[in-house]
Amino acid sequence: MKNYSVKPYQESDYANWNAFIGQAKNATFLFHRDFMEYHKDRFEDFSLMVFDSEKLVAVLPANKVGDIVHSHQGLTYGGLVYSPKLNGEKVEEILDSILSFFKENEVQSFFFKSIPLFYTSKGNAEIDFFLFKRGAFLDKKEMNLGINLAMPLTISKGKLKHFRKIEELDLEMVEEQHLESFWELVLEPRLLEKYNAKPVHTLQEITLLKEKFPENIKQFSVYFDDVIIAGITLFETETVVKSQYGATTKKGEELRALDFLFINLIQKFKSEGKLFFDMGIVNEDNEKGYHAGLLKQKEELGCSVYSQDFYKMNFI
């Protein structure tokens, strides 16, 4: 077994980390330090870097809570990020080096959340298998809804019928460079009204992230009579577009403006060659474990159910 060295990330590793993320097999912009650190005051960073001699071959975005390590709680997905040149056997050895590091540092438990497979066209399931063989167990499972844009679209007849009616209205879809209108006039008031909740990102945070990642974070809004009535904030990677936030005003609800926006965006990114449109999870803390209305709505837009798995490994 090759002897890999594992060390915690430090600020001096910033350039080396980001350069590695830029060429890794299974990375997205969420693993760039500028994205990971926008909320660094909320998390105790415990990200790891794995070296083969002096060469960086893998990183693990992570945070620590007491003696428990999480594959980073501030990110939608996480996992081990590694070089495209590594075969499965070497990935296994790297994982063993990380697990040994955890034991040496008296980590009690490790929570691991995989990157959804449709983000990694070159495959990414090695770690799930190796963790399972080492005693990790499935801690949580989420239904992630997505559209395979390489296949013919399967939007329901009902959605398309209403879409054709909506097209006759004077609605305008706009890509916006600023997020204030959507955040302050649509998203925040609707979340507060319907769920007594706030967006995960504040306006200041999402604005900062958009400034740092202008090609990855995009805002599309719908206007009616020059008034914003709906919007969707997208996180875009090389092959996948994710609907991070979507909301509509009461007027937008009447006009089905969110369906109008989703269908236009699905068609837009399919024509541009994206592989998947990720509409996120539908899990909910109820008896069923999911929000039936959201599941139905997303399936009618052409989504299928994909799984995102969360593993736990105990060391003590």
Side-chain angles (χ1 to χ4, degrees), residues 41-61:
D41 57 315
R42 300 181 215 166
F43 300 97
E44 180 186 349
D45 192 86
F46 198 70
S47 298
L48 301 179
M49 304 175 74
V50 184
F51 293 86
D52 180 357
S53 298
E54 299 297 316
K55 185 178 180 181
L56 181 60
V57 293
V59 300
L60 178 71

Side-chain angles (χ1 to χ4, degrees), residues 146-148 153-156 266 297-304:
I147 302 172
N148 184 344
L153 297 179
T154 56
I155 301 168
S156 74
I266 291 165
Q297 178 188 358
K298 293 179 180 185
E299 286 180 327
E300 287 179 346
L301 283 167
C303 287
S304 298

Side-chain angles (χ1 to χ4, degrees), residues 193-207:
E193 176 189 354
K194 295 180 74 173
Y195 306 107
N196 194 29
K198 296 179 180 180
V200 173
H201 301 88
T202 66
L203 175 58
Q204 291 73 24
E205 288 170 343
I206 197 69
T207 298

Side-chain angles (χ1 to χ4, degrees), residues 2-259:
K2 184 181 283 288
N3 185 24
Y4 292 96
S5 59
V6 181
K7 73 163 198 169
Y9 170 84
Q10 299 177 359
E11 286 187 15
S12 58
D13 297 314
Y14 173 88
N16 195 15
W17 176 289
N18 289 334
F20 180 78
I21 291 301
Q23 56 84 47
K25 173 183 177 180
N26 55 341
T28 74
F29 76 99
L30 269 66
F31 302 138
H32 192 286
R33 294 308 306 192
D34 285 347
F35 191 98
M36 290 180 60
E37 293 176 4
Y38 83 87
H39 49 15
K40 63 182 178 182
D41 57 315
R42 300 181 215 166
F43 300 97
E44 180 186 349
D45 192 86
F46 198 70
S47 298
L48 301 179
M49 304 175 74
V50 184
F51 293 86
D52 180 357
S53 298
E54 299 297 316
K55 185 178 180 181
L56 181 60
V57 293
V59 300
L60 178 71
N63 70 288
K64 193 175 183 183
V65 180
D67 54 7
I68 297 173
V69 173
H70 297 262
S71 122
H72 206 293
Q73 290 175 292
L75 302 177
T76 308
Y77 44 78
L80 183 67
V81 181
Y82 48 91
S83 167
K85 296 180 180 180
L86 297 183
N87 60 27
E89 187 175 7
K90 289 181 179 178
V91 172
E92 181 180 23
E93 292 173 352
I94 287 170
L95 175 63
D96 284 336
S97 297
I98 290 173
L99 297 180
S100 295
F101 180 86
F102 285 157
K103 292 174 185 176
E104 291 165 8
N105 286 270
E106 299 182 340
V107 171
Q108 178 179 323
S109 301
F110 175 45
F111 287 88
F112 180 90
K113 55 182 171 185
S114 303
I115 306 170
L117 284 177
F118 54 76
Y119 276 85
T120 52
S121 56
K122 296 178 181 178
N124 189 50
E126 301 98 321
I127 294 298
D128 299 49
F129 176 83
F130 296 140
L131 278 171
F132 175 75
K133 298 301 288 185
R134 281 152 182 76
F137 59 90
L138 188 64
D139 181 63
K140 184 171 68 169
K141 201 174 188 70
E142 292 186 338
M143 288 197 290
N144 199 130
L145 276 289
I147 302 172
N148 184 344
L149 296 176
M151 301 293 288
L153 297 179
T154 56
I155 301 168
S156 74
K157 291 180 180 178
K159 289 282 188 191
L160 289 175
K161 179 182 177 181
H162 286 293
F163 177 67
R164 286 190 285 269
K165 289 182 179 179
I166 300 166
E167 282 189 306
E168 296 174 2
L169 302 174
D170 191 20
L171 299 186
E172 182 183 13
M173 183 177 83
V174 178
E175 181 176 0
E176 305 198 89
Q177 297 308 312
H178 303 285
L179 297 104
E180 288 89 348
S181 294
F182 175 58
W183 236 254
E184 295 177 344
L185 301 177
V186 184
L187 182 63
E188 289 179 335
R190 284 299 265 175
L191 284 179
L192 185 63
E193 176 189 354
K194 295 180 74 173
Y195 306 107
N196 194 29
K198 296 179 180 180
V200 173
H201 301 88
T202 66
L203 175 58
Q204 291 73 24
E205 288 170 343
I206 197 69
T207 298
L208 174 65
L209 289 172
K210 182 164 173 53
E211 288 172 356
K212 290 182 177 292
F213 302 98
E215 298 304 313
N216 302 108
I217 299 177
K218 297 180 178 178
Q219 175 65 39
F220 289 87
S221 303
V222 176
Y223 284 78
F224 180 66
D225 288 342
D226 296 323
V227 176
I228 187 169
I229 59 171
I232 297 173
T233 310
L234 298 174
F235 281 11
E236 182 178 344
T237 70
E238 184 179 352
T239 58
V240 179
V241 178
K242 183 181 190 303
S243 170
Q244 189 70 19
Y245 292 105
T248 177
T249 65
K250 289 183 178 178
K251 183 64 176 178
E253 224 167 49
E254 292 173 18
L255 299 178
R256 297 179 181 255
L258 212 50
D259 282 351

Side-chain angles (χ1 to χ4, degrees), residues 261-275:
L261 190 48
F262 267 122
I263 292 173
N264 272 300
L265 290 174
I266 291 165
Q267 293 173 341
K268 167 184 165 63
F269 287 108
K270 179 177 175 63
S271 69
E272 291 178 3
K274 292 294 181 187
L275 300 182

